Amino acid sequence: IALALVPILPLLWWAQDRDWRRALRFGGLVVAAIAVFVVPWTIRNAIRMDGFVPLSTNGGENLCIGHAPGATGAFTVLVACNTGDGVQYGPASEIRADKAKNRIAKRSIRENLDREPWLLWRRFYFTFVRDGDHDGVIAVESYRHDRWFSYATEARLFRVADVAYWITCAAGVAGLLRLALRRRRRPEAWLLVSSTLVTALVPLAFFGDSRFKVPVMPLLLV
Protein backbone atom coordinates (compact mmCIF):
# COMPACT_ATOMS: atom_id res chain seq x y z
CA ILE A 1 0.00 0.00 0.00
CA ALA A 2 2.72 2.47 0.99
CA LEU A 3 4.60 1.92 -2.30
CA ALA A 4 1.84 3.87 -4.05
CA LEU A 5 3.27 6.98 -2.36
CA VAL A 6 6.63 6.69 -4.11
CA PRO A 7 5.57 8.50 -7.35
CA ILE A 8 3.89 11.23 -5.29
CA LEU A 9 6.94 12.16 -3.21
CA PRO A 10 8.98 13.74 -6.08
CA LEU A 11 5.95 15.87 -6.99
CA LEU A 12 5.76 17.17 -3.42
CA TRP A 13 9.48 17.96 -3.35
CA TRP A 14 9.12 19.76 -6.67
CA ALA A 15 6.19 21.78 -5.28
CA GLN A 16 8.42 22.97 -2.44
CA ASP A 17 10.93 24.89 -4.57
CA ARG A 18 10.22 23.99 -8.25
CA ASP A 19 13.56 22.18 -8.56
CA TRP A 20 13.15 18.96 -10.59
CA ARG A 21 16.74 17.84 -10.02
CA ARG A 22 16.35 18.05 -6.26
CA ALA A 23 12.98 16.28 -6.44
CA LEU A 24 14.39 13.45 -8.56
CA ARG A 25 17.48 13.15 -6.37
CA PHE A 26 15.42 12.78 -3.20
CA GLY A 27 12.99 10.48 -5.01
CA GLY A 28 15.93 8.32 -6.08
CA LEU A 29 17.11 8.11 -2.47
CA VAL A 30 13.64 6.88 -1.42
CA VAL A 31 13.66 4.21 -4.16
CA ALA A 32 17.18 3.14 -3.12
CA ALA A 33 16.12 2.86 0.53
CA ILE A 34 13.13 0.72 -0.44
CA ALA A 35 15.31 -1.46 -2.67
CA VAL A 36 17.60 -2.22 0.29
CA PHE A 37 14.68 -4.06 1.91
CA VAL A 38 12.75 -5.34 -1.12
CA VAL A 39 15.51 -6.66 -3.41
CA PRO A 40 16.85 -9.28 -0.94
CA TRP A 41 13.29 -10.58 -0.56
CA THR A 42 12.84 -10.72 -4.34
CA ILE A 43 16.13 -12.65 -4.63
CA ARG A 44 14.96 -15.01 -1.90
CA ASN A 45 11.73 -15.58 -3.84
CA ALA A 46 13.66 -16.31 -7.05
CA ILE A 47 15.79 -18.91 -5.24
CA ARG A 48 13.03 -20.48 -3.16
CA MET A 49 10.23 -20.39 -5.75
CA ASP A 50 12.27 -20.62 -8.96
CA GLY A 51 10.36 -17.68 -10.47
CA PHE A 52 10.11 -13.89 -10.50
CA VAL A 53 7.99 -12.80 -7.53
CA PRO A 54 8.82 -9.18 -6.54
CA LEU A 55 6.86 -9.26 -3.26
CA SER A 56 4.18 -11.92 -2.88
CA THR A 57 1.80 -14.21 -4.73
CA ASN A 58 -1.50 -13.10 -3.20
CA GLY A 59 -2.08 -10.10 -5.47
CA GLY A 60 -3.90 -12.21 -8.05
CA GLU A 61 -6.02 -13.86 -5.36
CA ASN A 62 -7.08 -10.53 -3.85
CA LEU A 63 -7.78 -8.99 -7.25
CA CYS A 64 -9.82 -12.01 -8.32
CA ILE A 65 -11.95 -11.99 -5.15
CA GLY A 66 -12.75 -8.34 -5.77
CA HIS A 67 -13.52 -8.43 -9.51
CA ALA A 68 -14.26 -11.93 -10.83
CA PRO A 69 -17.80 -13.04 -11.75
CA GLY A 70 -19.79 -13.44 -8.54
CA ALA A 71 -17.77 -10.79 -6.64
CA THR A 72 -19.75 -8.94 -3.94
CA GLY A 73 -17.16 -6.42 -2.78
CA ALA A 74 -16.43 -8.49 0.36
CA PHE A 75 -14.27 -11.56 0.93
CA THR A 76 -15.97 -14.45 -0.87
CA VAL A 77 -14.71 -17.83 -2.06
CA LEU A 78 -15.51 -17.63 -5.76
CA VAL A 79 -15.80 -20.57 -8.14
CA ALA A 80 -14.43 -18.34 -10.91
CA CYS A 81 -11.15 -17.99 -8.99
CA ASN A 82 -10.54 -21.72 -8.66
CA THR A 83 -7.77 -22.34 -11.18
CA GLY A 84 -6.80 -25.82 -10.02
CA ASP A 85 -3.42 -24.49 -8.92
CA GLY A 86 -2.36 -23.22 -5.51
CA VAL A 87 0.22 -23.08 -2.73
CA GLN A 88 -0.65 -26.63 -1.64
CA TYR A 89 0.82 -27.99 -4.91
CA GLY A 90 4.21 -26.28 -4.61
CA PRO A 91 5.87 -23.00 -5.64
CA ALA A 92 5.43 -23.41 -9.41
CA SER A 93 1.70 -24.04 -8.99
CA GLU A 94 1.44 -21.08 -6.60
CA ILE A 95 2.98 -18.74 -9.19
CA ARG A 96 0.73 -20.10 -11.95
CA ALA A 97 -2.33 -19.54 -9.75
CA ASP A 98 -1.33 -15.94 -9.08
CA LYS A 99 -0.89 -15.18 -12.79
CA ALA A 100 -4.11 -16.97 -13.77
CA LYS A 101 -6.16 -15.13 -11.15
CA ASN A 102 -4.71 -11.82 -12.30
CA ARG A 103 -5.87 -12.64 -15.83
CA ILE A 104 -9.35 -13.66 -14.63
CA ALA A 105 -9.75 -10.43 -12.67
CA LYS A 106 -8.54 -8.17 -15.50
CA ARG A 107 -10.74 -9.92 -18.06
CA SER A 108 -13.75 -9.57 -15.77
CA ILE A 109 -13.02 -5.84 -15.30
CA ARG A 110 -12.86 -5.31 -19.08
CA GLU A 111 -16.04 -7.27 -19.73
CA ASN A 112 -18.06 -5.78 -16.85
CA LEU A 113 -17.01 -2.15 -16.63
CA ASP A 114 -20.56 -1.11 -15.79
CA ARG A 115 -20.40 -3.23 -12.60
CA GLU A 116 -17.15 -1.69 -11.32
CA PRO A 117 -18.66 1.48 -9.75
CA TRP A 118 -21.05 -0.69 -7.72
CA LEU A 119 -18.21 -3.00 -6.63
CA LEU A 120 -16.10 0.01 -5.65
CA TRP A 121 -18.89 1.29 -3.42
CA ARG A 122 -19.32 -2.19 -1.90
CA ARG A 123 -15.59 -2.45 -1.17
CA PHE A 124 -15.73 0.95 0.52
CA TYR A 125 -18.79 -0.11 2.51
CA PHE A 126 -17.28 -3.37 3.77
CA THR A 127 -13.96 -1.69 4.64
CA PHE A 128 -15.05 1.56 6.28
CA VAL A 129 -18.74 1.38 7.16
CA ARG A 130 -20.42 -1.95 7.86
CA ASP A 131 -18.42 -3.33 10.80
CA GLY A 132 -17.10 -0.10 12.30
CA ASP A 133 -13.74 -0.99 13.81
CA HIS A 134 -14.35 -3.95 16.11
CA ASP A 135 -12.73 -6.56 13.86
CA GLY A 136 -9.79 -6.86 16.27
CA VAL A 137 -12.09 -7.99 19.07
CA ILE A 138 -13.29 -10.88 16.90
CA ALA A 139 -9.77 -11.63 15.64
CA VAL A 140 -8.33 -12.24 19.13
CA GLU A 141 -11.01 -14.90 19.58
CA SER A 142 -9.89 -16.61 16.36
CA TYR A 143 -12.97 -15.16 14.67
CA ARG A 144 -15.19 -16.71 17.36
CA HIS A 145 -13.76 -20.21 16.99
CA ASP A 146 -12.04 -19.79 20.37
CA ARG A 147 -14.33 -17.59 22.48
CA TRP A 148 -12.95 -16.30 25.76
CA PHE A 149 -15.01 -13.08 26.12
CA SER A 150 -18.51 -13.24 27.51
CA TYR A 151 -21.19 -11.97 25.12
CA ALA A 152 -21.69 -8.89 27.32
CA THR A 153 -17.97 -8.08 27.41
CA GLU A 154 -17.70 -8.55 23.66
CA ALA A 155 -20.64 -6.20 23.08
CA ARG A 156 -19.09 -3.53 25.34
CA LEU A 157 -15.74 -3.79 23.56
CA PHE A 158 -17.56 -3.49 20.21
CA ARG A 159 -19.15 -0.24 21.37
CA VAL A 160 -15.89 1.23 22.68
CA ALA A 161 -14.02 0.34 19.47
CA ASP A 162 -16.76 1.59 17.15
CA VAL A 163 -17.40 4.87 18.98
CA ALA A 164 -13.67 5.63 19.01
CA TYR A 165 -13.51 4.77 15.32
CA TRP A 166 -16.35 7.06 14.25
CA ILE A 167 -14.98 9.94 16.34
CA THR A 168 -11.58 9.44 14.71
CA CYS A 169 -13.15 9.37 11.24
CA ALA A 170 -15.19 12.53 11.79
CA ALA A 171 -12.32 14.52 13.30
CA GLY A 172 -9.77 13.09 10.85
CA VAL A 173 -11.79 13.87 7.72
CA ALA A 174 -12.54 17.39 9.02
CA GLY A 175 -8.82 17.94 9.61
CA LEU A 176 -7.98 16.50 6.21
CA LEU A 177 -10.37 18.90 4.47
CA ARG A 178 -8.99 21.81 6.47
CA LEU A 179 -5.45 20.96 5.36
CA ALA A 180 -6.46 20.44 1.71
CA LEU A 181 -8.49 23.66 1.45
CA ARG A 182 -6.09 26.03 3.19
CA ARG A 183 -5.13 28.99 1.07
CA ARG A 184 -1.42 28.56 1.85
CA ARG A 185 -0.63 24.88 1.58
CA ARG A 186 2.74 23.71 2.84
CA PRO A 187 4.32 20.64 1.21
CA GLU A 188 4.21 18.84 4.57
CA ALA A 189 0.45 19.31 4.62
CA TRP A 190 0.14 17.86 1.13
CA LEU A 191 2.28 14.91 2.22
CA LEU A 192 -0.19 14.14 5.00
CA VAL A 193 -3.20 14.63 2.72
CA SER A 194 -1.80 12.47 -0.10
CA SER A 195 -0.59 9.76 2.31
CA THR A 196 -4.04 9.56 3.87
CA LEU A 197 -5.83 9.36 0.52
CA VAL A 198 -3.46 6.76 -0.94
CA THR A 199 -3.58 4.44 2.07
CA ALA A 200 -7.38 4.71 2.09
CA LEU A 201 -7.89 4.18 -1.65
CA VAL A 202 -5.33 1.54 -2.65
CA PRO A 203 -7.01 -1.34 -0.72
CA LEU A 204 -10.25 -0.55 -2.57
CA ALA A 205 -8.67 -2.00 -5.71
CA PHE A 206 -9.10 -5.47 -4.20
CA PHE A 207 -11.95 -6.51 -1.87
CA GLY A 208 -13.45 -4.84 1.18
CA ASP A 209 -12.56 -5.94 4.70
CA SER A 210 -12.51 -4.11 8.02
CA ARG A 211 -8.80 -4.72 8.62
CA PHE A 212 -7.77 -3.02 5.37
CA LYS A 213 -8.33 0.41 6.89
CA VAL A 214 -5.61 -0.14 9.51
CA PRO A 215 -2.89 1.80 7.56
CA VAL A 216 -5.01 4.95 7.21
CA MET A 217 -6.12 5.20 10.86
CA PRO A 218 -2.85 6.61 12.32
CA LEU A 219 -2.88 9.28 9.58
CA LEU A 220 -6.45 10.27 10.43
CA LEU A 221 -5.43 10.51 14.07
CA VAL A 222 -2.62 12.91 13.15
Side-chain angles (χ1 to χ4, degrees), residues 123-145:
R123 291 194 289 270
F124 176 86
Y125 173 73
F126 285 114
T127 300
F128 291 100
V129 180
R130 191 187 72 164
D131 292 326
D133 198 38
H134 59 253
D135 183 66
V137 179
I138 304 173
V140 297
E141 295 185 297
S142 299
Y143 291 91
R144 291 177 170 153
H145 292 294

Side-chain angles (χ1 to χ4, degrees), residues 12 16 27 40 48 94 108 140 149 152 166 178 184 206 216:
L12 296 175
Q16 193 167 24
R48 177 67 182 83
E94 183 178 346
S108 184
V140 297
F149 288 135
W166 289 114
R178 183 173 181 272
R184 304 179 94 185
F206 302 99
V216 77

Side-chain angles (χ1 to χ4, degrees), residues 31-96:
V31 171
I34 292 170
V36 167
F37 295 96
V38 173
V39 170
W41 182 252
T42 305
I43 293 171
R44 174 264 175 201
N45 288 343
I47 295 170
R48 177 67 182 83
M49 305 189 73
D50 195 26
F52 180 64
V53 181
L55 290 172
S56 67
T57 56
N58 66 340
E61 180 79 44
N62 292 338
L63 206 61
C64 199
I65 291 171
H67 298 274
T72 65
F75 174 79
T76 313
V77 178
L78 299 175
V79 174
C81 296
N82 183 2
T83 64
D85 281 308
V87 62
Q88 68 270 33
Y89 303 120
S93 182
E94 183 178 346
I95 293 173
R96 284 198 304 271

